Amino acid sequence: MYTRVFVYGSLRRYQSNHGLMATAVFRGACQLPGFAMYDLGPYPAALRQDTADVAVHGEVYDVDAGTFRELDILEGLGEEYCRERVLTPYGEAWIYLYLQPLGRSPLIPEGDWVAWAERQTPETKNAP
């Protein structure tokens, strides 16, 4: 039995927490419209938006029960993030959505954490 998840930040390929996805089956990449992404520093936050001009880029995986539990722990389920079902081109999947105040966290306009993180320099990372 597997659970399908949509990941958009540090769990994506070549990112810092992707090792947790070692036993996951990659289904494909896609964008989810109606979600905005914010830069929290070491990882992003996604929130539902009521506008169609934003989308979050990510990847869809099938994970086993043990990996799903590990993802819940990593995401601080219920405290930092909640889970919500979304429809992807690969079927229904869980997405983790941020629960805490964003403060001054900048919007990632294109909704792609990997592209955004690659463009950041020490100066832009420390800017208010």
Side-chain angles (χ1 to χ4, degrees):
M1 187 69 176
Y2 68 87
T3 302
R4 190 158 287 163
V5 295
F6 174 85
V7 300
Y8 54 84
S10 69
L11 291 163
R12 285 176 65 184
R13 289 175 291 176
Y14 313 113
Q15 299 304 300
S16 61
N17 286 315
H18 186 70
L20 288 174
M21 306 299 280
T23 62
V25 177
F26 177 71
R27 292 296 172 201
C30 64
Q31 296 179 37
L32 292 181
F35 293 89
M37 184 181 294
Y38 295 85
D39 182 354
L40 298 179
Y43 52 88
L47 300 170
R48 202 173 268 287
Q49 292 288 108
D50 290 333
T51 177
D53 64 340
V54 294
V56 170
H57 295 246
E59 300 165 354
V60 177
Y61 291 87
D62 290 341
V63 300
D64 59 31
T67 300
F68 196 45
R69 280 190 301 276
E70 289 295 319
L71 297 181
D72 283 350
I73 292 167
L74 174 72
E75 304 294 357
L77 184 63
E79 294 178 23
E80 191 169 13
Y81 288 83
C82 66
R83 273 195 265 125
E84 208 174 279
R85 288 220 181 250
V86 292
L87 187 58
T88 77
Y90 310 98
E92 198 172 64
W94 289 105
I95 185 174
Y96 290 90
L97 300 176
Y98 198 60
L99 291 171
Q100 299 297 315
L102 290 169
R104 296 176 57 148
S105 300
L107 174 70
I108 300 173
E110 71 277 8
D112 187 341
W113 170 253
V114 174
W116 172 265
E118 287 174 354
R119 288 195 311 271
Q120 300 308 297
T121 65
E123 293 80 26
T124 59
K125 287 181 183 179
N126 295 325

